[in-house]
Amino acid sequence: MKRTLDSLEGQPLEGERAWVRVDFNVPLRDGSVADTTRIVASLPTIRWLKDRGCRVILASHLGRPKGQRKPEYSLRPVVPVLERELGAPVRFLEDPVSEAAPQETRRLKRGEVMLLENTRYYPGEEQNDPALAEAFARLGDFYVNDAFGSAHRAHASTEGIAHLLKPAVAGFLMARELEFLLGALAEPARPFVAVLGGAKISGKIDVIEALLPRVDAILIGGAMACTFFAAQGLETGKSLVEPDRIDMAKELLERGGEKLVLPEGVTIARELSPDAEIKDVRPDEIGPDWAVYDIDENASDQFIKRIRNAKTVFWNGPMGVFETPPFDAGTVAVARGLAVATEQGATTIIGGGDSAAAIAQAGLADRVSHVSTGGGASLELLEGKQLPGVAALDDV
Ligand code: ADP
Ligand code: MG
């Protein structure tokens, strides 16, 4: 168990500089923030520190400037959003590693907030350079990590600095992620059902391997199902299949036995377009000119029955090309199934960027137990890997 922000309650925090790694890797459009979700999500941690009189120093990466000061990746557009949300001025520190920078942070008044420029403007960030971690550390007195989505990378602002500033604790967002992804899934209430989909099987083999011994069933949708169909010797037409993973899929089918559940039916079309002619067929009826773009209604019902029956559900990867209706139908149906299971008392957890987008698009994000903010990080946790950014935090 990792130490969380709560544990600092009652400590003399007034005037202390809290160095907070947040995830402000937000989409920008025409120089302003196009989606403020991630900024809003970090507010509970920021407000908690502000209310206790801390000087709050916020740091994040944005995009991939690859160690260069590229203006299109500046975090400056986040400042007005933060100011609006907090109802207070927010200072911006152009060069967090300059000699004057520590003095700038000391000049903050109690409860004031400062945002540092993009951590990835410095090549040392992704190299976890100790010198950069030290320069960063001069700007704070203790460390809070609230950037779960970056915790699977050992970078100067996520790992290196956590050894230098103590205490080093998990912020509220991070704590919630760990509670669900480690807590709920480590000792899941049963039946425990995983739903996996998305574009590729290759990136998710390790997840399937790690989940197999722990779950009661893995329901497979998305293009991933097609590689399994190919492993069963079925015609998959123009579907997205990974030929070099067919053997692995065969092996998983053997090992998984009845735990691996493939869709009973699929929605196929000859082209990926909203007004393409579509057919719902059994997996052994896919014609050579056709491609699978979704699970069909039969398969949705098949999956929903399992989901409603479950006490713990983990979902990663859409069931079809949800970006192009009508091929969103299977994904929306499964999302509804998760909402119903949640109402009935199941713990339901969603991981993965596209899956999170799909559940938001269906308007059901607040009807499941937890939507993880970290795609890669949540999968790595499930695979049983240690996340360097989490491992470096203080143990309870
Ligand atoms: P996540 O981000 O939730 O981990 P992935 O990135 O693995 O999910 O997969 C999401 C993508 O998978 C979506 O862009 C979706 O269009 C695609 N996808 C799902 N089913 C299919 C399919 N049958 N054929 C092609 N692409 C698919
Ligand atoms: Mg994705």
PDB file of all heavy atoms in Angstrom, residues 197-200 204 221-224 226 239-240 272 291-295 315-324 331 351-356 375 379, ligand 1:
ATOM      1  N   GLY A 197     -11.377  -5.998 -26.093  1.00  0.00           N
ATOM      2  CA  GLY A 197     -11.623  -5.755 -27.510  1.00  0.00           C
ATOM      3  C   GLY A 197     -10.551  -4.834 -28.046  1.00  0.00           C
ATOM      4  O   GLY A 197      -9.417  -4.861 -27.568  1.00  0.00           O
ATOM      5  N   GLY A 198     -10.927  -4.011 -29.006  1.00  0.00           N
ATOM      6  CA  GLY A 198      -9.972  -3.067 -29.559  1.00  0.00           C
ATOM      7  C   GLY A 198      -9.359  -3.572 -30.841  1.00  0.00           C
ATOM      8  O   GLY A 198      -9.765  -4.598 -31.385  1.00  0.00           O
ATOM      9  N   ALA A 199      -8.355  -2.833 -31.286  1.00  0.00           N
ATOM     10  CA  ALA A 199      -7.817  -3.073 -32.610  1.00  0.00           C
ATOM     11  C   ALA A 199      -6.927  -4.306 -32.662  1.00  0.00           C
ATOM     12  O   ALA A 199      -7.015  -5.113 -33.571  1.00  0.00           O
ATOM     13  CB  ALA A 199      -7.067  -1.842 -33.083  1.00  0.00           C
ATOM     14  N   LYS A 200      -6.065  -4.436 -31.692  1.00  0.00           N
ATOM     15  CA  LYS A 200      -4.998  -5.416 -31.834  1.00  0.00           C
ATOM     16  C   LYS A 200      -4.927  -6.382 -30.677  1.00  0.00           C
ATOM     17  O   LYS A 200      -5.108  -5.997 -29.528  1.00  0.00           O
ATOM     18  CB  LYS A 200      -3.662  -4.696 -31.947  1.00  0.00           C
ATOM     19  CG  LYS A 200      -3.486  -4.007 -33.258  1.00  0.00           C
ATOM     20  CD  LYS A 200      -2.092  -3.441 -33.341  1.00  0.00           C
ATOM     21  CE  LYS A 200      -1.818  -2.865 -34.719  1.00  0.00           C
ATOM     22  NZ  LYS A 200      -0.551  -2.141 -34.732  1.00  0.00           N
ATOM     23  N   LYS A 204      -2.130  -6.750 -26.282  1.00  0.00           N
ATOM     24  CA  LYS A 204      -2.920  -7.166 -25.124  1.00  0.00           C
ATOM     25  C   LYS A 204      -2.732  -8.621 -24.729  1.00  0.00           C
ATOM     26  O   LYS A 204      -3.389  -9.118 -23.818  1.00  0.00           O
ATOM     27  CB  LYS A 204      -4.392  -6.862 -25.396  1.00  0.00           C
ATOM     28  CG  LYS A 204      -4.553  -5.365 -25.611  1.00  0.00           C
ATOM     29  CD  LYS A 204      -5.928  -4.838 -25.582  1.00  0.00           C
ATOM     30  CE  LYS A 204      -5.872  -3.315 -25.752  1.00  0.00           C
ATOM     31  NZ  LYS A 204      -7.169  -2.762 -26.091  1.00  0.00           N
ATOM     32  N   GLY A 221     -14.108  -9.265 -27.976  1.00  0.00           N
ATOM     33  CA  GLY A 221     -14.760  -8.587 -29.099  1.00  0.00           C
ATOM     34  C   GLY A 221     -13.722  -7.815 -29.888  1.00  0.00           C
ATOM     35  O   GLY A 221     -12.523  -8.058 -29.765  1.00  0.00           O
ATOM     36  N   GLY A 222     -14.180  -6.853 -30.681  1.00  0.00           N
ATOM     37  CA  GLY A 222     -13.266  -6.025 -31.459  1.00  0.00           C
ATOM     38  C   GLY A 222     -12.551  -6.827 -32.534  1.00  0.00           C
ATOM     39  O   GLY A 222     -12.864  -7.990 -32.786  1.00  0.00           O
ATOM     40  N   ALA A 223     -11.569  -6.186 -33.138  1.00  0.00           N
ATOM     41  CA  ALA A 223     -10.804  -6.874 -34.174  1.00  0.00           C
ATOM     42  C   ALA A 223     -10.045  -8.052 -33.577  1.00  0.00           C
ATOM     43  O   ALA A 223      -9.739  -9.031 -34.262  1.00  0.00           O
ATOM     44  CB  ALA A 223      -9.843  -5.890 -34.832  1.00  0.00           C
ATOM     45  N   MET A 224      -9.763  -7.952 -32.282  1.00  0.00           N
ATOM     46  CA  MET A 224      -9.063  -9.020 -31.584  1.00  0.00           C
ATOM     47  C   MET A 224      -9.740 -10.382 -31.802  1.00  0.00           C
ATOM     48  O   MET A 224      -9.079 -11.405 -31.973  1.00  0.00           O
ATOM     49  CB  MET A 224      -9.083  -8.680 -30.091  1.00  0.00           C
ATOM     50  CG  MET A 224      -8.245  -9.580 -29.240  1.00  0.00           C
ATOM     51  SD  MET A 224      -8.580  -9.262 -27.497  1.00  0.00           S
ATOM     52  CE  MET A 224      -7.471  -7.937 -27.187  1.00  0.00           C
ATOM     53  N   CYS A 226     -11.158 -11.435 -34.354  1.00  0.00           N
ATOM     54  CA  CYS A 226     -10.900 -11.970 -35.699  1.00  0.00           C
ATOM     55  C   CYS A 226      -9.642 -12.819 -35.741  1.00  0.00           C
ATOM     56  O   CYS A 226      -9.577 -13.808 -36.473  1.00  0.00           O
ATOM     57  CB  CYS A 226     -10.814 -10.834 -36.708  1.00  0.00           C
ATOM     58  SG  CYS A 226     -12.346  -9.870 -36.788  1.00  0.00           S
ATOM     59  N   SER A 239     -11.149  -8.662 -42.687  1.00  0.00           N
ATOM     60  CA  SER A 239     -11.092  -8.199 -41.294  1.00  0.00           C
ATOM     61  C   SER A 239      -9.650  -7.948 -40.866  1.00  0.00           C
ATOM     62  O   SER A 239      -8.720  -8.509 -41.438  1.00  0.00           O
ATOM     63  CB  SER A 239     -11.678  -9.258 -40.356  1.00  0.00           C
ATOM     64  OG  SER A 239     -12.965  -9.617 -40.750  1.00  0.00           O
ATOM     65  N   LEU A 240      -9.519  -7.116 -39.855  1.00  0.00           N
ATOM     66  CA  LEU A 240      -8.195  -6.827 -39.294  1.00  0.00           C
ATOM     67  C   LEU A 240      -7.714  -8.033 -38.474  1.00  0.00           C
ATOM     68  O   LEU A 240      -8.170  -8.275 -37.366  1.00  0.00           O
ATOM     69  CB  LEU A 240      -8.299  -5.586 -38.403  1.00  0.00           C
ATOM     70  CG  LEU A 240      -7.025  -5.074 -37.741  1.00  0.00           C
ATOM     71  CD1 LEU A 240      -5.951  -4.757 -38.766  1.00  0.00           C
ATOM     72  CD2 LEU A 240      -7.340  -3.820 -36.928  1.00  0.00           C
ATOM     73  N   LEU A 272     -15.802   0.274 -44.654  1.00  0.00           N
ATOM     74  CA  LEU A 272     -16.050   0.947 -43.383  1.00  0.00           C
ATOM     75  C   LEU A 272     -16.665   2.307 -43.674  1.00  0.00           C
ATOM     76  O   LEU A 272     -15.942   3.286 -43.916  1.00  0.00           O
ATOM     77  CB  LEU A 272     -14.729   1.105 -42.618  1.00  0.00           C
ATOM     78  CG  LEU A 272     -14.851   1.778 -41.247  1.00  0.00           C
ATOM     79  CD1 LEU A 272     -15.755   0.994 -40.330  1.00  0.00           C
ATOM     80  CD2 LEU A 272     -13.478   1.952 -40.622  1.00  0.00           C
ATOM     81  N   ALA A 291     -15.627  -7.598 -44.078  1.00  0.00           N
ATOM     82  CA  ALA A 291     -14.802  -7.420 -42.879  1.00  0.00           C
ATOM     83  C   ALA A 291     -15.699  -7.289 -41.655  1.00  0.00           C
ATOM     84  O   ALA A 291     -16.806  -6.744 -41.738  1.00  0.00           O
ATOM     85  CB  ALA A 291     -13.929  -6.174 -43.009  1.00  0.00           C
ATOM     86  N   VAL A 292     -15.215  -7.783 -40.533  1.00  0.00           N
ATOM     87  CA  VAL A 292     -15.936  -7.664 -39.263  1.00  0.00           C
ATOM     88  C   VAL A 292     -15.671  -6.274 -38.681  1.00  0.00           C
ATOM     89  O   VAL A 292     -14.521  -5.889 -38.501  1.00  0.00           O
ATOM     90  CB  VAL A 292     -15.443  -8.732 -38.258  1.00  0.00           C
ATOM     91  CG1 VAL A 292     -16.049  -8.490 -36.880  1.00  0.00           C
ATOM     92  CG2 VAL A 292     -15.752 -10.134 -38.760  1.00  0.00           C
ATOM     93  N   TYR A 293     -16.762  -5.522 -38.419  1.00  0.00           N
ATOM     94  CA  TYR A 293     -16.578  -4.196 -37.828  1.00  0.00           C
ATOM     95  C   TYR A 293     -17.229  -4.053 -36.461  1.00  0.00           C
ATOM     96  O   TYR A 293     -17.124  -3.008 -35.825  1.00  0.00           O
ATOM     97  CB  TYR A 293     -17.106  -3.115 -38.774  1.00  0.00           C
ATOM     98  CG  TYR A 293     -16.244  -2.954 -40.010  1.00  0.00           C
ATOM     99  CD1 TYR A 293     -16.796  -3.023 -41.285  1.00  0.00           C
ATOM    100  CD2 TYR A 293     -14.868  -2.755 -39.906  1.00  0.00           C
ATOM    101  CE1 TYR A 293     -16.008  -2.887 -42.425  1.00  0.00           C
ATOM    102  CE2 TYR A 293     -14.070  -2.617 -41.027  1.00  0.00           C
ATOM    103  CZ  TYR A 293     -14.642  -2.695 -42.283  1.00  0.00           C
ATOM    104  OH  TYR A 293     -13.862  -2.558 -43.396  1.00  0.00           O
ATOM    105  N   ASP A 294     -17.949  -5.101 -36.025  1.00  0.00           N
ATOM    106  CA  ASP A 294     -18.606  -5.012 -34.716  1.00  0.00           C
ATOM    107  C   ASP A 294     -19.071  -6.415 -34.320  1.00  0.00           C
ATOM    108  O   ASP A 294     -19.109  -7.316 -35.154  1.00  0.00           O
ATOM    109  CB  ASP A 294     -19.824  -4.066 -34.803  1.00  0.00           C
ATOM    110  CG  ASP A 294     -20.312  -3.578 -33.426  1.00  0.00           C
ATOM    111  OD1 ASP A 294     -19.621  -3.861 -32.409  1.00  0.00           O
ATOM    112  OD2 ASP A 294     -21.364  -2.910 -33.378  1.00  0.00           O
ATOM    113  N   ILE A 295     -19.427  -6.577 -33.040  1.00  0.00           N
ATOM    114  CA  ILE A 295     -20.149  -7.783 -32.654  1.00  0.00           C
ATOM    115  C   ILE A 295     -21.627  -7.517 -32.967  1.00  0.00           C
ATOM    116  O   ILE A 295     -22.056  -6.365 -32.994  1.00  0.00           O
ATOM    117  CB  ILE A 295     -19.952  -8.134 -31.158  1.00  0.00           C
ATOM    118  CG1 ILE A 295     -20.424  -7.006 -30.234  1.00  0.00           C
ATOM    119  CG2 ILE A 295     -18.471  -8.446 -30.878  1.00  0.00           C
ATOM    120  CD1 ILE A 295     -20.447  -7.381 -28.750  1.00  0.00           C
ATOM    121  N   TRP A 315     -13.220  -3.873 -18.232  1.00  0.00           N
ATOM    122  CA  TRP A 315     -13.423  -3.744 -19.683  1.00  0.00           C
ATOM    123  C   TRP A 315     -12.304  -2.923 -20.307  1.00  0.00           C
ATOM    124  O   TRP A 315     -12.023  -1.825 -19.873  1.00  0.00           O
ATOM    125  CB  TRP A 315     -14.769  -3.081 -19.963  1.00  0.00           C
ATOM    126  CG  TRP A 315     -15.065  -2.900 -21.422  1.00  0.00           C
ATOM    127  CD1 TRP A 315     -14.513  -3.598 -22.472  1.00  0.00           C
ATOM    128  CD2 TRP A 315     -15.972  -1.972 -22.013  1.00  0.00           C
ATOM    129  NE1 TRP A 315     -15.034  -3.172 -23.661  1.00  0.00           N
ATOM    130  CE2 TRP A 315     -15.931  -2.180 -23.417  1.00  0.00           C
ATOM    131  CE3 TRP A 315     -16.833  -1.003 -21.506  1.00  0.00           C
ATOM    132  CZ2 TRP A 315     -16.703  -1.430 -24.307  1.00  0.00           C
ATOM    133  CZ3 TRP A 315     -17.602  -0.269 -22.396  1.00  0.00           C
ATOM    134  CH2 TRP A 315     -17.542  -0.478 -23.774  1.00  0.00           C
ATOM    135  N   ASN A 316     -11.676  -3.495 -21.300  1.00  0.00           N
ATOM    136  CA  ASN A 316     -10.699  -2.738 -22.097  1.00  0.00           C
ATOM    137  C   ASN A 316     -10.870  -3.047 -23.575  1.00  0.00           C
ATOM    138  O   ASN A 316     -10.817  -4.204 -23.981  1.00  0.00           O
ATOM    139  CB  ASN A 316      -9.267  -3.077 -21.692  1.00  0.00           C
ATOM    140  CG  ASN A 316      -8.273  -2.465 -22.663  1.00  0.00           C
ATOM    141  OD1 ASN A 316      -7.926  -3.077 -23.665  1.00  0.00           O
ATOM    142  ND2 ASN A 316      -7.860  -1.248 -22.414  1.00  0.00           N
ATOM    143  N   GLY A 317     -11.056  -2.010 -24.366  1.00  0.00           N
ATOM    144  CA  GLY A 317     -11.096  -2.155 -25.820  1.00  0.00           C
ATOM    145  C   GLY A 317     -12.515  -2.252 -26.344  1.00  0.00           C
ATOM    146  O   GLY A 317     -13.261  -3.145 -25.958  1.00  0.00           O
ATOM    147  N   PRO A 318     -12.892  -1.327 -27.258  1.00  0.00           N
ATOM    148  CA  PRO A 318     -14.235  -1.327 -27.825  1.00  0.00           C
ATOM    149  C   PRO A 318     -14.547  -2.618 -28.592  1.00  0.00           C
ATOM    150  O   PRO A 318     -13.648  -3.292 -29.078  1.00  0.00           O
ATOM    151  CB  PRO A 318     -14.232  -0.123 -28.772  1.00  0.00           C
ATOM    152  CG  PRO A 318     -12.934   0.562 -28.613  1.00  0.00           C
ATOM    153  CD  PRO A 318     -12.051  -0.207 -27.727  1.00  0.00           C
ATOM    154  N   MET A 319     -15.847  -2.923 -28.693  1.00  0.00           N
ATOM    155  CA  MET A 319     -16.307  -4.156 -29.339  1.00  0.00           C
ATOM    156  C   MET A 319     -16.299  -4.056 -30.864  1.00  0.00           C
ATOM    157  O   MET A 319     -16.412  -5.056 -31.563  1.00  0.00           O
ATOM    158  CB  MET A 319     -17.730  -4.494 -28.878  1.00  0.00           C
ATOM    159  CG  MET A 319     -17.849  -4.809 -27.391  1.00  0.00           C
ATOM    160  SD  MET A 319     -17.031  -6.367 -27.001  1.00  0.00           S
ATOM    161  CE  MET A 319     -15.467  -5.770 -26.361  1.00  0.00           C
ATOM    162  N   GLY A 320     -16.223  -2.819 -31.360  1.00  0.00           N
ATOM    163  CA  GLY A 320     -16.228  -2.607 -32.800  1.00  0.00           C
ATOM    164  C   GLY A 320     -15.651  -1.243 -33.115  1.00  0.00           C
ATOM    165  O   GLY A 320     -15.129  -0.555 -32.235  1.00  0.00           O
ATOM    166  N   VAL A 321     -15.761  -0.848 -34.380  1.00  0.00           N
ATOM    167  CA  VAL A 321     -15.262   0.466 -34.791  1.00  0.00           C
ATOM    168  C   VAL A 321     -16.295   1.507 -34.354  1.00  0.00           C
ATOM    169  O   VAL A 321     -17.089   2.001 -35.147  1.00  0.00           O
ATOM    170  CB  VAL A 321     -15.020   0.510 -36.314  1.00  0.00           C
ATOM    171  CG1 VAL A 321     -14.368   1.824 -36.713  1.00  0.00           C
ATOM    172  CG2 VAL A 321     -14.130  -0.647 -36.751  1.00  0.00           C
ATOM    173  N   PHE A 322     -16.265   1.816 -33.052  1.00  0.00           N
ATOM    174  CA  PHE A 322     -17.335   2.644 -32.464  1.00  0.00           C
ATOM    175  C   PHE A 322     -17.319   4.072 -32.997  1.00  0.00           C
ATOM    176  O   PHE A 322     -18.293   4.802 -32.865  1.00  0.00           O
ATOM    177  CB  PHE A 322     -17.216   2.647 -30.935  1.00  0.00           C
ATOM    178  CG  PHE A 322     -16.075   3.490 -30.431  1.00  0.00           C
ATOM    179  CD1 PHE A 322     -16.301   4.772 -29.939  1.00  0.00           C
ATOM    180  CD2 PHE A 322     -14.776   3.022 -30.477  1.00  0.00           C
ATOM    181  CE1 PHE A 322     -15.245   5.569 -29.496  1.00  0.00           C
ATOM    182  CE2 PHE A 322     -13.710   3.803 -30.035  1.00  0.00           C
ATOM    183  CZ  PHE A 322     -13.949   5.074 -29.546  1.00  0.00           C
ATOM    184  N   GLU A 323     -16.207   4.466 -33.616  1.00  0.00           N
ATOM    185  CA  GLU A 323     -16.106   5.832 -34.158  1.00  0.00           C
ATOM    186  C   GLU A 323     -17.017   6.002 -35.375  1.00  0.00           C
ATOM    187  O   GLU A 323     -17.322   7.127 -35.768  1.00  0.00           O
ATOM    188  CB  GLU A 323     -14.661   6.136 -34.589  1.00  0.00           C
ATOM    189  CG  GLU A 323     -13.616   6.040 -33.481  1.00  0.00           C
ATOM    190  CD  GLU A 323     -12.925   4.674 -33.433  1.00  0.00           C
ATOM    191  OE1 GLU A 323     -13.540   3.667 -33.859  1.00  0.00           O
ATOM    192  OE2 GLU A 323     -11.778   4.608 -32.960  1.00  0.00           O
ATOM    193  N   THR A 324     -17.401   4.880 -36.007  1.00  0.00           N
ATOM    194  CA  THR A 324     -18.197   4.937 -37.231  1.00  0.00           C
ATOM    195  C   THR A 324     -19.516   4.193 -37.047  1.00  0.00           C
ATOM    196  O   THR A 324     -19.583   2.994 -37.266  1.00  0.00           O
ATOM    197  CB  THR A 324     -17.406   4.290 -38.409  1.00  0.00           C
ATOM    198  OG1 THR A 324     -16.075   4.799 -38.428  1.00  0.00           O
ATOM    199  CG2 THR A 324     -18.061   4.573 -39.751  1.00  0.00           C
ATOM    200  N   THR A 331     -20.541  -1.892 -28.856  1.00  0.00           N
ATOM    201  CA  THR A 331     -19.847  -1.194 -27.772  1.00  0.00           C
ATOM    202  C   THR A 331     -20.843  -0.502 -26.844  1.00  0.00           C
ATOM    203  O   THR A 331     -20.728  -0.586 -25.618  1.00  0.00           O
ATOM    204  CB  THR A 331     -18.866  -0.149 -28.371  1.00  0.00           C
ATOM    205  OG1 THR A 331     -17.936  -0.853 -29.212  1.00  0.00           O
ATOM    206  CG2 THR A 331     -18.110   0.590 -27.296  1.00  0.00           C
ATOM    207  N   GLY A 351     -10.675   0.507 -18.476  1.00  0.00           N
ATOM    208  CA  GLY A 351      -9.323   1.005 -18.711  1.00  0.00           C
ATOM    209  C   GLY A 351      -9.105   1.136 -20.211  1.00  0.00           C
ATOM    210  O   GLY A 351      -9.671   0.367 -20.988  1.00  0.00           O
ATOM    211  N   GLY A 352      -8.296   2.106 -20.628  1.00  0.00           N
ATOM    212  CA  GLY A 352      -8.017   2.255 -22.054  1.00  0.00           C
ATOM    213  C   GLY A 352      -8.617   3.526 -22.594  1.00  0.00           C
ATOM    214  O   GLY A 352      -9.774   3.843 -22.327  1.00  0.00           O
ATOM    215  N   GLY A 353      -7.817   4.250 -23.361  1.00  0.00           N
ATOM    216  CA  GLY A 353      -8.223   5.561 -23.870  1.00  0.00           C
ATOM    217  C   GLY A 353      -9.473   5.497 -24.724  1.00  0.00           C
ATOM    218  O   GLY A 353     -10.418   6.270 -24.530  1.00  0.00           O
ATOM    219  N   ASP A 354      -9.493   4.572 -25.685  1.00  0.00           N
ATOM    220  CA  ASP A 354     -10.634   4.500 -26.593  1.00  0.00           C
ATOM    221  C   ASP A 354     -11.868   3.966 -25.877  1.00  0.00           C
ATOM    222  O   ASP A 354     -12.983   4.396 -26.162  1.00  0.00           O
ATOM    223  CB  ASP A 354     -10.301   3.624 -27.802  1.00  0.00           C
ATOM    224  CG  ASP A 354      -9.286   4.289 -28.706  1.00  0.00           C
ATOM    225  OD1 ASP A 354      -9.634   5.294 -29.337  1.00  0.00           O
ATOM    226  OD2 ASP A 354      -8.134   3.821 -28.745  1.00  0.00           O
ATOM    227  N   SER A 355     -11.668   3.044 -24.958  1.00  0.00           N
ATOM    228  CA  SER A 355     -12.810   2.517 -24.199  1.00  0.00           C
ATOM    229  C   SER A 355     -13.418   3.627 -23.346  1.00  0.00           C
ATOM    230  O   SER A 355     -14.642   3.737 -23.241  1.00  0.00           O
ATOM    231  CB  SER A 355     -12.367   1.363 -23.300  1.00  0.00           C
ATOM    232  OG  SER A 355     -11.513   0.506 -23.991  1.00  0.00           O
ATOM    233  N   ALA A 356     -12.570   4.437 -22.742  1.00  0.00           N
ATOM    234  CA  ALA A 356     -13.051   5.568 -21.933  1.00  0.00           C
ATOM    235  C   ALA A 356     -13.817   6.543 -22.813  1.00  0.00           C
ATOM    236  O   ALA A 356     -14.889   7.042 -22.434  1.00  0.00           O
ATOM    237  CB  ALA A 356     -11.882   6.265 -21.245  1.00  0.00           C
ATOM    238  N   GLY A 375      -4.486   4.607 -19.803  1.00  0.00           N
ATOM    239  CA  GLY A 375      -4.645   3.424 -20.649  1.00  0.00           C
ATOM    240  C   GLY A 375      -3.513   2.434 -20.418  1.00  0.00           C
ATOM    241  O   GLY A 375      -3.698   1.362 -19.841  1.00  0.00           O
ATOM    242  N   LEU A 379      -3.292  -1.115 -17.890  1.00  0.00           N
ATOM    243  CA  LEU A 379      -3.023  -2.462 -18.408  1.00  0.00           C
ATOM    244  C   LEU A 379      -1.766  -3.051 -17.774  1.00  0.00           C
ATOM    245  O   LEU A 379      -1.721  -4.228 -17.428  1.00  0.00           O
ATOM    246  CB  LEU A 379      -2.902  -2.445 -19.934  1.00  0.00           C
ATOM    247  CG  LEU A 379      -4.192  -2.104 -20.682  1.00  0.00           C
ATOM    248  CD1 LEU A 379      -4.000  -2.181 -22.184  1.00  0.00           C
ATOM    249  CD2 LEU A 379      -5.324  -3.030 -20.265  1.00  0.00           C
TER     250      LEU A 379
HETATM  251  P1  ADP B   1      -8.200   1.168 -25.859  1.00  0.00           P
HETATM  252  O1  ADP B   1      -7.660   2.521 -26.256  1.00  0.00           O
HETATM  253  O2  ADP B   1      -9.494   1.270 -25.111  1.00  0.00           O
HETATM  254  O3  ADP B   1      -7.178   0.320 -25.166  1.00  0.00           O
HETATM  255  P2  ADP B   1      -7.603   0.052 -28.444  1.00  0.00           P
HETATM  256  O4  ADP B   1      -6.718   1.222 -28.708  1.00  0.00           O
HETATM  257  O5  ADP B   1      -6.976  -1.260 -28.217  1.00  0.00           O
HETATM  258  O6  ADP B   1      -8.585   0.394 -27.211  1.00  0.00           O
HETATM  259  O7  ADP B   1      -8.610  -0.160 -29.648  1.00  0.00           O
HETATM  260  C1  ADP B   1      -9.487   0.849 -30.072  1.00  0.00           C
HETATM  261  C2  ADP B   1      -9.686   0.793 -31.566  1.00  0.00           C
HETATM  262  O8  ADP B   1     -10.079  -0.503 -31.972  1.00  0.00           O
HETATM  263  C3  ADP B   1     -10.773   1.719 -32.020  1.00  0.00           C
HETATM  264  O9  ADP B   1     -10.188   2.750 -32.808  1.00  0.00           O
HETATM  265  C4  ADP B   1     -11.699   0.830 -32.847  1.00  0.00           C
HETATM  266  O10 ADP B   1     -12.121   1.458 -34.044  1.00  0.00           O
HETATM  267  C5  ADP B   1     -10.824  -0.352 -33.159  1.00  0.00           C
HETATM  268  N1  ADP B   1     -11.597  -1.556 -33.468  1.00  0.00           N
HETATM  269  C6  ADP B   1     -12.470  -2.196 -32.689  1.00  0.00           C
HETATM  270  N2  ADP B   1     -13.040  -3.230 -33.348  1.00  0.00           N
HETATM  271  C7  ADP B   1     -12.505  -3.239 -34.566  1.00  0.00           C
HETATM  272  C8  ADP B   1     -12.692  -4.061 -35.731  1.00  0.00           C
HETATM  273  N3  ADP B   1     -13.540  -5.078 -35.733  1.00  0.00           N
HETATM  274  N4  ADP B   1     -11.952  -3.759 -36.838  1.00  0.00           N
HETATM  275  C9  ADP B   1     -11.098  -2.729 -36.839  1.00  0.00           C
HETATM  276  N5  ADP B   1     -10.878  -1.927 -35.785  1.00  0.00           N
HETATM  277  C10 ADP B   1     -11.578  -2.164 -34.669  1.00  0.00           C
END
